[in-house]
Amino acid sequence: MSDHFTPIDKALEAFKQNKFLMVLDDEDRENEADLICAAQDITQEQMAFLVRYSSGYVCAPVSNSVADRIDLPLMRDMDVKSSQDDRHGTAYTITCDYAEGTTTGISAHDRALTCRKLADVGTKPSDFLKPGHIVPLRAVDGGVLQRDGHTEAAVDLCKLTGKVPVGVICELVRDEDGLMMRLDDCIKMKEKFGIDIITIKELKAYLLHRR
């Protein structure tokens, strides 16, 4: 099965060229694959593809510095623990749409525009309507070396390729039954669309080696 995974160096080159990556986490965690790209250059066509082959619940991982600049508070106080906490500690913020140039906020055009503007260093809090249709996620400082989530993987991939630390991610689901894609499904998708597959485990190893 290891032959189906792309070395991190090669995957980073693809990511730098504005291509998607399929990123898998551990079997003992969520055991799922997310389709991930950088937000700063995402196109309407890429957003349409993402929605077509995913759950459609499009999230935008951001660094804390970006979230603070745009004023994206958490949906709830993460220090207050209850039975309703996300089981993996995902730091969902208030949702948003970019205000200018969008209509409903849900179209591929509108969601792509909102994601690009989240990565635009010139935007300010008042440029966004809240709530909206994109779900920003605050990545833990330190990335996958501190929390091995897709949120952190997306921001790390952006940083490693010199992009603004804002990604676009969505969980991959199968056409036939809507269940989560596993490795075998991802391999079929790679063969069909040429999208590289990596794991968070290998990304962590790559970052540790760079220290």
Side-chain angles (χ1 to χ4, degrees):
M1 286 294 191
S2 60
D3 293 341
H4 297 289
F5 295 111
T6 301
I8 297 299
D9 279 331
K10 183 178 178 183
L12 289 173
E13 285 302 315
F15 196 84
K16 188 181 297 184
Q17 294 169 25
N18 201 38
K19 295 180 180 179
F20 283 114
L21 295 178
M22 283 183 279
V23 182
L24 283 81
D25 67 352
D26 293 336
E27 290 185 6
D28 59 356
R29 191 177 181 273
E30 290 179 318
N31 189 24
E32 68 177 36
D34 281 25
L35 201 57
I36 299 180
C37 70
Q40 68 183 57
D41 298 312
I42 188 170
T43 64
Q44 176 180 325
E45 292 73 23
Q46 284 179 305
M47 182 61 74
F49 181 91
L50 179 65
V51 172
R52 167 69 176 78
Y53 290 99
S54 74
S55 66
Y57 191 68
V58 179
C59 297
V62 301
S63 66
N64 280 305
S65 60
V66 170
D68 290 342
R69 177 175 60 81
I70 304 175
D71 188 22
L72 296 172
L74 294 171
M75 281 190 181
R76 65 188 305 276
D77 186 350
M78 297 296 281
D79 291 329
V80 178
K81 299 299 180 183
S82 77
S83 60
Q84 299 303 311
D85 282 335
D86 177 81
R87 60 174 49 88
H88 296 291
T90 306
Y92 295 95
T93 80
I94 187 171
T95 55
C96 66
D97 291 331
Y98 189 65
E100 185 177 349
T102 59
T103 54
T104 63
I106 196 65
S107 69
H109 169 274
D110 288 2
R111 286 198 272 187
L113 177 59
T114 295
C115 288
R116 289 196 303 273
K117 290 301 182 179
L118 285 171
D120 184 341
V121 298
T123 54
K124 55 188 182 299
S126 60
D127 293 328
F128 295 89
L129 303 174
K130 305 163 189 175
H133 296 82
I134 290 296
V135 188
L137 310 171
R138 281 182 178 251
V140 170
D141 293 337
V144 295
L145 296 181
Q146 296 298 318
R147 177 180 181 272
D148 52 356
H150 290 98
T151 301
E152 287 70 28
V155 170
D156 279 345
L157 288 168
C158 289
K159 289 180 177 179
L160 286 167
T161 52
K163 295 179 180 289
V164 178
V166 181
V168 181
I169 68 174
C170 205
E171 301 95 339
L172 288 167
V173 298
R174 303 190 306 194
D175 274 343
E176 59 269 27
D177 55 17
L179 295 178
M180 305 309 298
M181 282 192 187
R182 305 306 181 195
L183 178 56
D184 287 348
D185 303 303
C186 292
I187 291 170
K188 293 175 184 177
M189 191 166 182
K190 177 181 180 180
E191 292 170 348
K192 184 175 182 179
F193 296 111
I195 301 172
D196 291 325
I197 305 172
I198 66 170
T199 67
I200 290 178
K201 181 179 179 180
E202 287 301 315
L203 180 58
K204 289 171 69 175
Y206 178 87
L207 288 166
L208 284 170
H209 182 71
R210 284 168 53 93
R211 282 186 164 183

